[in-house]
Amino acid sequence: LIHDHLGLQVEALGLVASAFSLGSVGGAVVLGRMRRIRRRGPLAYGGIALGGLMILCYGLAPSLPFLVGAALVYGVAFSIAGLIWTNTLQSMVPPEKLGRVSSIDALGSFVLMPAGFALAGWLTDAIGPAQVFLLGGASTVGLALLGFLHPAIRKLD
């Protein structure tokens, strides 16, 4: 996307990755300062949906500043969703089962990653990088909104 779509070099990729990291750290600092996170379900799924919108923006990015801004917001959203997930696991899973549940969570989170990378590479060759980001962002937003349909997510405090 950086090279072929925007015509930029590796320095631009570093800037985008740095913006994501700064957003992630900023989101973690803000969330970490909160005494209690209220409405965790809607906040987490809202973070996932916002992150999906930012991925979609990657595919629409007309310029580097736009892409950097999207990466910064995506970092915040990613951090919020991840920290709420970890917090929710720790508060809702009994301590004697937390290790086992966390292991299953990690396995599920990482086992499909190689397949996802392969699919993304194949799709990038087939339809182009911008379209892959558009597809990925739209599917992320759609799945997050689908999660909002479940009452347990809307009620999770």
Side-chain angles (χ1 to χ4, degrees):
L1 181 75
I2 297 285
H3 185 267
D4 294 347
H5 186 69
L6 294 176
L8 301 171
Q9 298 302 316
V10 72
E11 297 85 8
L13 179 61
L15 190 58
V16 171
S18 296
F20 173 85
S21 298
L22 285 174
S24 184
V25 169
V29 167
V30 168
L31 208 60
R33 296 183 55 85
M34 298 174 76
R35 272 191 136 353
R36 183 159 195 263
I37 302 167
R38 308 294 271 159
R39 301 188 42 79
R40 288 181 291 179
L43 187 58
Y45 276 77
I48 293 167
L50 178 60
L53 283 173
M54 293 305 105
I55 293 169
L56 205 127
C57 285
Y58 279 25
L60 299 172
S63 65
L64 181 60
F66 184 90
L67 190 57
V68 167
L72 185 73
V73 174
Y74 180 40
V76 172
F78 183 84
S79 183
I80 287 171
L83 289 173
I84 289 174
W85 175 255
T86 301
N87 175 273
T88 302
L89 270 180
Q90 292 174 350
S91 68
M92 296 188 80
V93 175
E96 65 275 5
K97 295 181 181 173
L98 186 58
R100 194 169 289 172
V101 171
S102 295
S103 296
I104 293 168
D105 173 48
L107 177 66
S109 296
F110 295 111
V111 75
L112 291 176
M113 204 178 290
F117 288 145
L119 180 62
W122 177 79
L123 275 174
T124 300
D125 282 344
I127 64 174
Q131 290 75 14
V132 170
F133 282 106
L134 292 172
L135 181 63
S139 61
T140 301
V141 170
L143 289 170
L145 294 178
L146 188 63
F148 271 114
L149 295 176
H150 199 287
I153 296 301
R154 293 191 308 270
K155 293 177 184 174
L156 180 62
D157 193 29

